[in-house]
Amino acid sequence: MARRGAAALALALALAPLAVVLAALRAQGAALQAPDPHAQETWSREPYYARREPRPEPFPPPLPAGTGAGGRGPSPAEPRPPQKATKPQKAPGTHRLAPQTPPPGKNSNRKGVRTKNSEKAASDDHSIPVAHDDVREGCPPLGLETLKITDFQLHASTSKRYGLGAHRGRLNIQAGINENDFYDGAWCAGRNDLHQWIEVDARRLTKFTGVITQGRNSLWLSDWVTSYKVMVSNDSHTWVTVKNGSGDMIFEGNSEKEIPVLNELPVPMVARYIRINPQSWFDNGSICMRMEILGCPLPDPNNYYHRRNEMTTTDDLDFKHHNYKEMRQLMKVVNEMCPNITRIYNIGKSHQGLKLYAVEISDHPGEHEVGEPEFHYIAGAHGNEVLGRELMLLLMQFLCQEYLAGNARIVRLVEETRIHILPSLNPDGYEKAYEGGSELGGWSLGRWTHDGIDINNNFPDLNTLLWEAEDRQNIPRKVPNHYIAIPEWFLSENATVAVETRAVIAWMEKIPFVLGGNLQGGELVVAYPYDMVRSMWKTQEHSPTPDDHVFRWLAYSYASTHRLMTDARRRVCHTEDFQKEDGTVNGASWHTVAGSLNDFSYLHTNCFELSIYVGCDKYPHESELPEEWENNRESLIVFMEQVHRGIKGVVRDFHGKGIPNAVISVEGVNHDIRTEIIFQS
C-alpha cells in the first residue's frame, strides 16, 4: 500500500506542472499557482526556512501594445535619472549585512536585518491576494555564483565590452588585478540610462522570491546600482513589473560595491525569465552590478534537459551547515557510532577561546603504529571558506558508516592509515561568516582570525633562508635542505603570529605527518608548492620544489578524480583557466605567497602538503552540499590513499634498535627527510 500511495503522489506531482504549463500557454502570463517545490527535492529533509509568506502574485492580463515594460526593442523615451543616487521608494524585505545584529530565525542561512515586513507591504495593495496563514519556505539561489546558471542563460541590454558582459554579472565574481577585456568584475551597461537591464533565463518555470546585488569588483573604480525595478516574463517579450500598490516597486540597491544586499519580492512571482532594470546609480559611476536570484524551480518531469542534469546522492549524511556547537555535537555522534576507530581531541584554542577540535580515525586511535603513515586534512583556515569545513564533517561520517558496513576499501584505509581531520582551524572567523550567511557574507567576511591575521600566510618564511644559503653556496652547509629551524623572532611573544598558527605548528611537530591537504574555497584547482617565487620583485613565477614530480602527481590524483576539475568544458570560476595543467597549478606561478602552510610543511617537517580549492563558491547554500559532496567524495578518498605510495620502513642500528633523526637522502633529489621516532624491536 505504501508503494501505491507513493506512486499516486508521484503521478499527481507529474501532472501538476503539466497543467501549469498549459495554463501559461493559454493565458500568455495568466495566474500561475506554484506547487510545493520541495516535494521534488531529493535532499531536503525539512524546510530550510520557516517564514510566513503570501501566495505567489498572479500575472495580470497581457498589456496593450506600447504600454508597460516591453521587450528588448526600442521603448518610449523616459526622463534621464539623476546621476547621484536618489532616495528610492524602499522595498519590503531589504537585507543588509549587519554583523553586530543577531541573525533572525534559527534555521535561516541568509541572515541580515529586515527593514520592513514583506507581508505588510504586500497587504497594502488590496488587489494582490495575500494568504497570511501560509508558511513561507525561502527559495535557494538559482546558481549564478556556483555557475549552475550558464553564460548562455544571462542576457543584457548592452555592455561596455566583453569583459563586462552579462556573463560577468555573478555574485562575488572577482576581477583580479588586470581587469581586462576577458575577465572583469561585473556586468556594466554600455550606456547609463533607464533602458538598461540584465536578465536570467531559468529555462523552466520558477517561483522567484528575491534578488541579491553587489557593485563592481574593482581596485580602481567605484560602480554600483542604488535602485532598480524587477520584471518577470514567460516568453521574454511580454514583461510584468513587480508592483507595490498601484505603482512599480523600486528596490533599494547597494551603497558600496562589495557588501551584498538582499531584496525579497513582496510576493513570489512565477515565470521563466527575470529582469533587473537599474533606476539610479552611484554618482560619477556607471551602471554595474553583480547579482544572485533566489528561486524555486517548479517540477517538470517532462523536461529531459533538467532530468539529465539533476544530481542525487545515496549517502545518508547530515547535509547542513554546522555552527561551532553543532560541529562539536556531530563529532560526538560519530565518535559514539564508531568508538573503536575514532578519537576526538583538540590541538589548542582560538583567539576567542574556542577549542580547535580534530578527529582521529584509525584502528588504534591515539597510538602511532610502526609502518602506519600519518595523514591529515585541514579546513577552515579562512573562516568564510565553509565548503571545506562541511566536506570534512561529511567525510568523517562517511568513513564511520562505510567502516561499519564493511566496505573493504574503507576498512583497509582505516586499518592501514592514521587519519586526522581538523575541520575548523579558524572557528572565530567562521562564526562571523555564519552570521552573514551563505549569500550575504560577501567575499571576505570571516576570512581572517579575530585579530585580523590570515592563517594561510602566517607561517615562518623558510624559503628565503634556504635560497639565500644556496646562493651563497656555503660549504659545509649552514642551512640544511630540510627540517629548517624556525627563526627566533617568530617564536617570540611579540611576533604577529596567530594563536591558531602556533597550535598547528605544535601539532605538526608532534605528529609525524607524511601527507596532508588543506581545503580552501573560491576556486577549483589543486595548488602545490612552492607558493613563493624565488626571484625578487616578481608576483608570478614557476617555483618547483626538488620533489616537483611527486607534487604534480599528488595534485593530479585529486583533480583527475574530481567531477569537475579536469572538465575542459566547464567555465572558469573568476579569471584563471587551470585546464592547461589538468586542474593543478604551482602555487607561485598563480600568485606568490610568503609563509604559506604548504612551504612551511615541506621545509620544516617530512609532510608533503597541498592546497585543495574545492569550489568556486566559498560558502554555498545548504541545498548545494549533496552535489558538492558527490563532486569531491572520490577525490578525498583517493588523495588519502596516496599516503601509501613510495618507500617506507624503519632505520635500525646494529642492535636492532630504531635510530631517531636519521637523515635519508635520495640521489638526484636535493631534499632529505628524517626518521621521527625511536622504534623498539
Side-chain angles (χ1 to χ4, degrees):
M1 293 300 293
R3 291 185 178 177
R4 292 182 182 177
L9 176 59
L11 179 59
L13 290 174
L15 293 176
L18 179 59
V20 170
V21 173
L22 292 175
L25 291 175
R26 292 194 193 100
Q28 295 182 358
L32 294 175
Q33 181 66 35
D36 180 10
H38 294 278
Q40 295 292 318
E41 292 185 4
T42 306
W43 305 317
S44 298
R45 300 181 184 177
E46 59 184 13
Y48 187 64
Y49 301 102
R51 294 200 296 269
R52 299 173 66 84
E53 172 201 59
R55 288 193 179 93
E57 178 181 358
F59 283 175
L63 301 175
T67 63
R72 302 181 189 177
S75 57
E78 298 185 44
R80 179 183 178 87
Q83 291 290 321
K84 187 172 182 178
T86 58
K87 186 175 181 180
Q89 178 183 358
K90 185 168 287 188
T94 299
H95 292 240
R96 290 182 181 277
L97 182 60
Q100 302 301 323
T101 305
K106 63 181 181 178
N107 292 326
S108 176
N109 196 39
R110 292 198 305 271
K111 302 181 176 67
V113 179
R114 184 181 293 277
T115 57
K116 182 184 283 189
N117 186 280
S118 59
E119 291 178 17
K120 183 177 184 299
S123 63
D124 291 341
D125 179 10
H126 299 290
S127 65
I128 299 177
V130 178
H132 292 284
D133 293 333
D134 289 349
V135 176
R136 181 167 194 162
E137 295 180 356
C139 291
L142 290 188
L144 275 77
E145 184 176 8
T146 61
L147 307 183
K148 271 193 169 182
I149 296 296
T150 69
D151 290 351
F152 300 105
Q153 293 174 257
L154 299 173
H155 309 280
S157 52
T158 61
S159 58
K160 282 190 174 181
R161 49 189 169 83
Y162 178 78
L164 294 169
H167 65 291
R168 301 296 293 177
R170 301 173 180 272
L171 190 72
N172 286 322
I173 203 164
Q174 302 296 295
I177 298 176
N178 298 325
E179 300 185 23
N180 56 40
D181 190 44
F182 288 98
Y183 304 114
D184 218 315
W187 161 68
C188 289
R191 300 185 300 272
N192 291 335
D193 58 45
L194 287 173
H195 305 293
Q196 305 308 308
W197 48 261
I198 180 172
E199 74 179 41
V200 180
D201 175 6
R203 287 183 173 169
R204 63 194 297 181
L205 288 177
T206 300
K207 183 175 76 171
F208 297 114
T209 61
V211 177
I212 304 173
T213 59
Q214 281 176 312
R216 177 181 179 179
N217 176 251
S218 173
L219 296 173
W220 326 109
L221 301 173
S222 296
D223 299 315
W224 60 83
V225 170
T226 56
S227 66
Y228 58 90
K229 294 181 181 180
V230 176
M231 307 172 184
V232 293
S233 172
N234 277 337
D235 57 10
S236 79
H237 296 291
T238 302
W239 292 87
V240 175
T241 305
V242 175
K243 303 288 185 181
N244 185 18
S246 59
D248 295 346
M249 175 170 287
I250 306 295
F251 292 90
E252 184 177 355
N254 299 83
S255 57
E256 59 87 69
K257 57 187 176 183
E258 289 298 335
I259 298 178
V261 174
L262 164 65
N263 279 293
E264 294 177 328
L265 304 187
V267 289
M269 305 290 286
V270 176
R272 170 175 168 173
Y273 302 87
I274 185 168
R275 177 179 287 186
I276 310 302
N277 173 213
Q279 297 295 295
S280 61
W281 44 94
F282 178 62
D283 189 21
N284 297 324
S286 301
I287 296 178
C288 295
M289 67 189 310
R290 294 172 286 169
M291 67 177 186
E292 181 63 84
I293 304 297
L294 306 182
C296 296
L298 302 187
D300 187 4
N302 298 317
N303 192 318
Y304 170 74
Y305 173 84
H306 299 296
R307 295 202 313 272
R308 183 188 63 184
N309 288 279
E310 287 177 353
M311 169 60 65
T312 58
T313 181
T314 58
D315 294 330
D316 184 19
L317 308 175
D318 191 19
F319 293 106
K320 60 167 287 184
H321 287 297
H322 300 79
N323 61 24
Y324 182 80
K325 182 179 179 180
E326 293 168 337
M327 178 189 73
R328 177 66 183 87
Q329 181 61 32
L330 180 60
M331 289 180 169
K332 183 178 179 182
V333 169
V334 172
N335 179 241
E336 290 173 350
M337 285 180 60
C338 298
N340 295 330
I341 62 167
T342 61
R343 176 177 70 100
I344 302 173
Y345 65 101
N346 73 82
I347 68 169
K349 292 184 178 181
S350 70
H351 187 276
Q352 292 290 90
L354 299 178
K355 292 182 179 180
L356 307 178
Y357 285 110
V359 169
E360 176 190 343
I361 302 176
S362 174
D363 57 343
H364 293 89
E367 176 185 345
H368 176 83
E369 299 179 71
V370 177
E372 184 169 294
E374 307 263 2
F375 175 93
H376 73 249
Y377 273 130
I378 299 173
H382 296 148
N384 64 330
E385 294 172 6
V386 177
L387 178 56
R389 168 192 174 110
E390 295 303 330
L391 287 176
M392 291 297 93
L393 297 178
L394 293 169
L395 178 63
M396 62 179 67
Q397 297 174 65
F398 179 79
L399 293 177
C400 172
Q401 291 181 6
E402 293 301 303
Y403 184 87
L404 293 178
N407 183 322
R409 181 186 185 190
I410 300 303
V411 170
R412 181 170 60 252
L413 182 65
V414 170
E415 291 181 349
E416 297 179 358
T417 319
R418 193 179 180 204
I419 303 166
H420 303 257
I421 299 176
L422 178 63
S424 187
L425 179 55
N426 181 9
D428 297 347
Y430 173 80
E431 293 301 305
K432 186 178 294 184
Y434 186 79
E435 289 179 3
S438 63
E439 283 81 56
L440 299 184
W443 188 249
S444 59
L445 180 68
R447 174 185 177 91
W448 300 279
T449 64
H450 184 77
D451 48 346
I453 296 175
D454 187 334
I455 297 177
N456 196 51
N457 310 336
N458 193 223
F459 293 84
D461 173 16
L462 305 182
N463 303 58
T464 301
L465 296 177
L466 173 66
W467 293 336
E468 287 180 350
E470 290 179 347
D471 292 340
R472 289 193 301 267
Q473 296 182 347
N474 292 330
I475 301 175
R477 188 165 54 195
K478 295 182 179 179
V479 177
N481 64 9
H482 69 292
Y483 269 57
I484 300 175
I486 298 175
E488 289 295 329
W489 66 265
F490 188 90
L491 300 174
S492 68
E493 294 183 0
N494 297 328
T496 307
V497 182
V499 293
E500 296 89 346
T501 305
R502 296 189 189 278
V504 170
I505 291 176
W507 184 49
M508 297 181 72
E509 290 179 335
K510 179 180 180 181
I511 300 177
F513 293 116
V514 176
L515 179 62
N518 56 87
L519 273 61
Q520 302 189 44
E523 264 298 351
L524 202 55
V525 67
V526 182
Y528 54 90
Y530 290 123
D531 291 329
M532 181 179 176
V533 298
R534 184 159 186 166
S535 302
M536 294 184 63
W537 313 116
K538 286 189 176 182
T539 58
Q540 293 177 312
E541 180 185 51
H542 184 69
S543 300
T545 66
D547 291 291
D548 187 61
H549 62 293
V550 178
F551 276 114
R552 284 176 177 271
W553 168 257
L554 293 171
Y556 183 71
S557 70
Y558 193 99
S560 62
T561 50
H562 189 279
R563 287 187 62 253
L564 299 175
M565 276 191 190
T566 55
D567 185 353
R569 300 167 298 175
R570 76 172 182 87
R571 185 194 186 282
V572 299
C573 291
H574 300 284
T575 63
E576 301 286 344
D577 185 359
F578 299 108
Q579 293 305 311
K580 58 183 179 293
E581 294 188 44
D582 293 319
T584 69
V585 66
N586 173 257
S589 67
W590 182 11
H591 55 260
T592 185
V593 172
S596 74
L597 171 58
N598 293 347
D599 290 2
F600 169 79
S601 179
Y602 181 66
L603 295 176
H604 185 69
T605 74
N606 283 341
C607 183
F608 283 30
E609 184 92 16
L610 292 85
S611 292
I612 303 169
Y613 293 80
V614 291
C616 301
D617 189 351
K618 293 182 177 182
Y619 195 158
H621 188 269
E622 191 168 279
S623 61
E624 299 291 333
L625 294 179
E627 182 169 350
E628 293 294 353
W629 167 246
E630 289 296 319
N631 289 342
N632 288 275
R633 178 184 59 191
E634 180 65 16
S635 300
L636 290 168
I637 298 172
V638 167
F639 188 72
M640 286 190 290
E641 292 172 335
Q642 304 311 302
V643 76
H644 294 283
R645 281 186 169 270
I647 300 172
K648 57 185 177 182
V650 178
V651 179
R652 305 178 186 271
D653 61 17
F654 289 111
H655 302 288
K657 294 183 178 180
I659 302 176
N661 293 319
V663 177
I664 301 173
S665 300
V666 177
E667 185 177 356
V669 179
N670 188 26
H671 180 81
D672 303 332
I673 60 171
R674 298 191 185 190
T675 56
E676 288 282 351
I677 301 174
I678 299 178
F679 298 123
Q680 301 296 332
S681 58

